[in-house]
Amino acid sequence: MIHRITSDLPTFKPVELRPGLNIIVSDKLAQSNDGQTRNKSGKSSLLQLIHFLFGKEGETNSLFRKPALEAYTFSIEFDLKGALLRVSRSGASFRWLDIELLTGSTAAWPIDPLQGKGTAKLAHDKWRGILGLAMFGLEENLGVYGPTFGQLFSYFVRRAENGGLAEPTKQAYQQQPADVRVGLSYLLGLDWKISQEREQLRQEIAAAQKLQKVARDGGLKNVVGDPKQIFTQLTLAQKEVDRLSKAIAEFRVLQDYAEREREANNLTRRINELADEAAQSRYYADELRQSLQSETPPEVSDLERLYAEVGLVLPTIVRTRYDEVRRFHESIVRNRRLYLEDELSEAETKVEKNKQEISTLDGQRSQIMQLLHTHGALEHHTQLQIQLGKAVAVVESLKQNQKLLENAAQQVAELKIKQGQLFLRLQRDLRENQSVIAEAVLAFEEASEALYNDFGNLSIYATESGPKFDITIQGQNSRGVNSMQVFCFDMMLMRVAGKRGMTPGFLVHDSHLFDPVDERQNEKAWAYGAGLAKKIGFQYIITLNSDQIPVPQNRSTELPLEQYIVEPKLTDDDGGGLFGFDFY
């Protein structure tokens, strides 16, 4: 329990606490408005101070690192596991806490924070680790998503500004479902590791499914092609690698490749020239043959007949002269024919010569081309190697992507099997802990029955996501019912977790919890809390505004509220708050 909270700040109002119910009241003055009552008296700051002295609240925006407060030291005296300790901390040296033993011993703690001495200075994270082990039995290195001191402690000192009063099962707005399942399973004595493993599994499944979705949507195709056709792409890419590999394996480097290539080109050019010459010679020979066939000397009878037809008779002298001319003409024709025959023979000879030369040159060119076909230049060989390297890189990329997608699909399938196995483990764990669940259900029912005629229900059951903690109270949508759900749930935790030694020994409720609740229900809640605290031995601390306390004639219980009010009495007047002055 907490005995007192003090400070070297001269205006700070010390808090003195007792076993059982403790009520810290802020008087609402006549001139006060609702905002002043809740913002200036420092009731909520008291909860922040408790967190600060138990190793939390060290962030830059912490109330105790503000210029107005950081130079001052705050202290808390509390007992835990046979030791009464005073713990002190300031905003100026927020990373460190001073631990002082007042009475008793910490030697029996799992880790002795004082190491057999009367005092010690501990880092705030080290202090939280020791408190987690001593207060909740938390071992070190419980892994990702494992329970932590801050997570569990916040269920017993809920802070309204963090959303701690919004839902019974959550101690902060930002608390994730997995964190809720792990924390409550740990406090109630269920197998919390199932929820831890389930969250790790959920993260792995989400990552694998994200990769699968990217692949299905074609998100990887800019890297290695369309994933939907990756096997086809890989097959074709491997074919190209095989082709290039074979070409390189069969490649023979010809040192004078360029010279041989030029020689082949020259031969081709000469062959083309000879072919053109042969064509021209054949055309000339054809013309000569036609000339030989068409050139024949005219017959004398033809000429005489021509003259006879026109009625002329050639004289004898003319005929003699004509015979001489005919003989001369025949001589000319004969000489021309001999000339044409010589020209034809020469043309045919040239055609044949060209043909033979073409055949010879073509043979030489064929030999060179065969050599060029079976060999190559060094530059060509280097280019083939570069192409092969690129082709191999594409194949390797495709193989890696194929393996990645196959592994992702396999991983999702395997993880879903594990998910089913975890669900079976959870069902078995809940069956084996039916007595614990029954105790929690009955504890919640008892608290809610003390407040309402139609009591509420707490249900704990297995789901694919982990254990589910459901709370129902008749009229749960009405104003104030949610606050009473939180109250009943916390009383259940004090009973069930307290039985296992898994509480700090105190429970703190801020006045914001009771704001939306009518005074009759509030009074019943305080009476039940006081009775349970006395029955099972814990300290119940509540902060209230004076106008939340019903006048004696309107009270519905026999709880003597005035007897539980402790120092200090706060007001929203200037200087009447917990710190004794206003600051921002």
Side-chain angles (χ1 to χ4, degrees), residues 16-31:
E16 299 286 341
L17 300 173
R18 303 175 296 208
L21 177 63
N22 293 260
I23 303 176
I24 299 173
V25 176
S26 174
D27 285 334
K28 184 174 182 180
L29 303 180
Q31 69 271 24

Side-chain angles (χ1 to χ4, degrees), residues 176-194:
Q176 298 301 309
D179 188 80
V180 171
R181 291 190 289 266
V182 168
L184 293 181
S185 294
Y186 186 88
L187 289 173
L188 296 178
L190 305 176
D191 188 352
W192 60 271
K193 291 184 178 179
I194 295 176

Side-chain angles (χ1 to χ4, degrees), residues 265-333:
N265 290 337
N266 290 335
L267 288 171
T268 300
R269 187 163 46 251
R270 180 57 184 157
I271 290 171
N272 291 337
E273 291 173 354
L274 290 171
D276 290 342
E277 291 178 5
Q280 292 175 1
S281 296
R282 282 194 296 271
Y283 177 75
Y284 183 50
D286 289 341
E287 286 186 336
L288 290 173
R289 290 189 189 94
Q290 290 178 4
S291 295
L292 286 172
Q293 292 174 1
S294 61
E295 292 193 13
T296 57
E299 295 293 335
V300 176
S301 58
D302 292 338
L303 184 59
E304 292 177 342
R305 188 169 52 256
L306 175 63
Y307 274 85
E309 289 177 355
V310 296
L312 297 176
V313 178
L314 294 176
T316 305
I317 188 170
V318 173
R319 287 183 59 85
T320 302
R321 186 66 177 166
Y322 177 80
D323 289 340
E324 291 176 357
V325 172
R326 181 177 59 80
R327 285 193 297 270
F328 176 73
H329 176 70
E330 288 176 349
S331 173
I332 291 174
V333 170

Side-chain angles (χ1 to χ4, degrees), residues 235-398:
T235 301
L236 297 177
Q238 185 62 53
K239 178 183 177 182
E240 179 65 8
V241 169
D242 294 342
R243 183 189 70 79
L244 291 170
S245 298
K246 182 179 179 182
I248 290 175
E250 296 176 350
F251 198 89
R252 299 293 182 271
V253 177
L254 187 63
Q255 298 299 332
D256 58 347
Y257 184 91
E259 181 62 31
R260 296 299 182 93
E261 191 173 38
R262 282 194 295 273
E263 184 179 352
N265 290 337
N266 290 335
L267 288 171
T268 300
R269 187 163 46 251
R270 180 57 184 157
I271 290 171
N272 291 337
E273 291 173 354
L274 290 171
D276 290 342
E277 291 178 5
Q280 292 175 1
S281 296
R282 282 194 296 271
Y283 177 75
Y284 183 50
D286 289 341
E287 286 186 336
L288 290 173
R289 290 189 189 94
Q290 290 178 4
S291 295
L292 286 172
Q293 292 174 1
S294 61
E295 292 193 13
T296 57
E299 295 293 335
V300 176
S301 58
D302 292 338
L303 184 59
E304 292 177 342
R305 188 169 52 256
L306 175 63
Y307 274 85
E309 289 177 355
V310 296
L312 297 176
V313 178
L314 294 176
T316 305
I317 188 170
V318 173
R319 287 183 59 85
T320 302
R321 186 66 177 166
Y322 177 80
D323 289 340
E324 291 176 357
V325 172
R326 181 177 59 80
R327 285 193 297 270
F328 176 73
H329 176 70
E330 288 176 349
S331 173
I332 291 174
V333 170
R334 184 170 53 252
N335 289 337
R336 176 173 171 75
R337 185 174 186 84
L338 290 174
Y339 170 76
L340 291 176
E341 288 176 349
D342 288 341
E343 286 292 308
L344 177 59
S345 176
E346 185 178 348
E348 289 176 342
T349 300
K350 191 173 184 179
V351 169
E352 186 62 29
K353 183 179 179 181
N354 286 350
K355 182 177 179 183
Q356 291 176 359
E357 189 174 355
I358 288 173
S359 177
T360 301
L361 295 178
D362 188 56
Q364 294 175 6
R365 186 180 64 172
S366 296
Q367 291 178 357
I368 295 173
M369 293 304 294
Q370 180 64 28
L371 186 63
L372 294 177
H373 180 72
T374 57
H375 292 68
L378 182 60
E379 294 81 1
H380 187 200
H381 185 266
T382 302
Q383 188 63 32
L384 282 175
Q385 289 180 318
I386 293 174
Q387 293 177 10
L388 177 61
K390 292 180 179 179
V392 169
V394 171
V395 167
E396 289 304 314
S397 180
L398 286 167

